[in-house]
Amino acid sequence: MKLINIGFGNIVFANRVIAMVSPESAPIKRMIQESRDKGNLIDATQGRRTRAVIFMDSDQIVLSAIQPETIAGRLDKEVVEEINNEEI
């Protein structure tokens, strides 16, 4: 299982991530509030501003203070390393 660092020592399983989006739009803000009300929200921002909203396949939403592009770059780096290790 691949792990991905989402900032400040917080980690999620990469294969459980469905999508990573910016929290700026009204529909995303609504989804965050609904998830918070249901108890399915995981706040991994450590009190900082939310910059990425990560949707998991378990219907949980994870908030991160790291940009979605940064998290995606970390994921891409792991995928490239995995491919290189398989070719050797």
Side-chain angles (χ1 to χ4, degrees), residues 69-87:
E69 295 85 6
T70 304
I71 297 170
R74 293 175 182 177
L75 180 61
D76 286 343
K77 183 178 178 184
E78 290 179 13
V79 170
V80 169
E81 287 175 3
E82 179 181 322
I83 291 170
N84 288 338
N85 289 337
E86 288 177 3
E87 291 178 356

Side-chain angles (χ1 to χ4, degrees), residues 25-72:
S25 71
I28 298 298
K29 289 179 182 179
R30 229 180 350 263
M31 292 175 83
I32 292 170
Q33 187 58 48
E34 289 171 3
S35 182
R36 181 177 280 123
D37 294 343
K38 290 182 196 174
N40 288 338
L41 184 72
I42 301 171
D43 188 348
T45 61
Q46 304 294 328
R48 292 171 174 84
R49 178 175 172 240
T50 301
R51 296 194 174 179
V53 180
I54 304 167
F55 292 90
M56 308 298 286
D57 65 355
S58 59
D59 290 333
Q60 292 177 316
I61 295 177
V62 181
L63 304 180
S64 174
I66 306 295
Q67 292 285 349
E69 295 85 6
T70 304
I71 297 170

